Amino acid sequence: MTGGERGPWVPPAWVAWGAVAVALAFAAVSLVWALGGTVGLDTLGGEIERLGRARDPALLAANAVALVLKVLGGVLALALVQPWGRRLPRRPLLTLGGAGAAVLVLYGALQVTSVALVAAGVVVPDEPVGDRVLAWRLLLWEPVFLVWGLLLAGATLRAARLRPPGGAAAPRRARPPRP
């Protein structure tokens, strides 16, 4: 770089903290449901709500697995921006961040699109879906995957641009020599 040239844009650190917050908040919901709680099940509707209210063992186990994955997603986002994360192998960390972000964004976009098509009456589901359930799914449950994925993508990009391939963190600014 010469003169007034600047390096590539680096996302702010808050994107990683946002990914952590979404992951842990979403994990808390999975914990409640994995323990058999029914809070919020009425915002999902359909078979998932019925299975949750019946405390179906397969659904409880699926929520326990989801809980672990969401906590790990939060830890991954932290590893991308915390000093202790620099001790982890760079390539696998960035690969996990990128893959996780891609899966979350793709899943979130597909889910938001499918629910929006149902809400617009373009697609008619096998069983009726109430307006309340549609609203919750369209405004919270499905977009949260998309938002989480975008935040994780930002955290991964930040880590990739601030941490050179050699492993150490990139120098922030050269300090002037002390007199």
Side-chain angles (χ1 to χ4, degrees), residues 41-52 127-129 133 137:
L41 283 176
D42 60 329
T43 64
L44 297 174
E47 187 67 12
I48 294 175
E49 180 181 359
R50 281 191 292 282
L51 291 172
E127 65 179 83
V129 180
V133 168
R137 295 204 49 204

Side-chain angles (χ1 to χ4, degrees), residues 117-131:
L117 290 172
V118 169
V122 175
V123 173
V124 178
D126 291 339
E127 65 179 83
V129 180
D131 290 342

Side-chain angles (χ1 to χ4, degrees), residues 40-69:
L41 283 176
D42 60 329
T43 64
L44 297 174
E47 187 67 12
I48 294 175
E49 180 181 359
R50 281 191 292 282
L51 291 172
R53 293 195 183 287
R55 291 188 169 81
D56 179 73
L59 187 62
L60 296 177
N63 275 302
V65 169
L67 166 66
V68 170
L69 291 174

Side-chain angles (χ1 to χ4, degrees), residues 22-118:
V22 171
L24 296 182
F26 216 26
V29 173
S30 291
L31 175 63
V32 168
W33 291 341
L35 295 174
T38 60
V39 174
L41 283 176
D42 60 329
T43 64
L44 297 174
E47 187 67 12
I48 294 175
E49 180 181 359
R50 281 191 292 282
L51 291 172
R53 293 195 183 287
R55 291 188 169 81
D56 179 73
L59 187 62
L60 296 177
N63 275 302
V65 169
L67 166 66
V68 170
L69 291 174
K70 291 169 185 177
V71 169
L72 289 174
V75 171
L76 171 62
L78 276 176
L80 290 165
V81 294
Q82 288 296 293
W84 57 264
R86 292 185 201 119
R87 293 192 295 267
L88 300 173
R90 174 184 166 80
R91 185 168 287 144
L93 185 64
L94 294 177
T95 299
L96 280 172
V103 167
L104 288 166
V105 166
L106 180 61
Y107 180 78
L110 290 172
Q111 288 295 100
V112 167
T113 301
S114 66
V115 174
L117 290 172
V118 169

Side-chain angles (χ1 to χ4, degrees), residues 12-25 74 77-84 148 151-152 154-155 158:
W14 66 259
V15 297
W17 290 104
V20 171
V22 171
L24 296 182
L78 276 176
L80 290 165
V81 294
Q82 288 296 293
W84 57 264
W148 182 12
L151 291 168
L152 186 57
R158 177 180 175 79

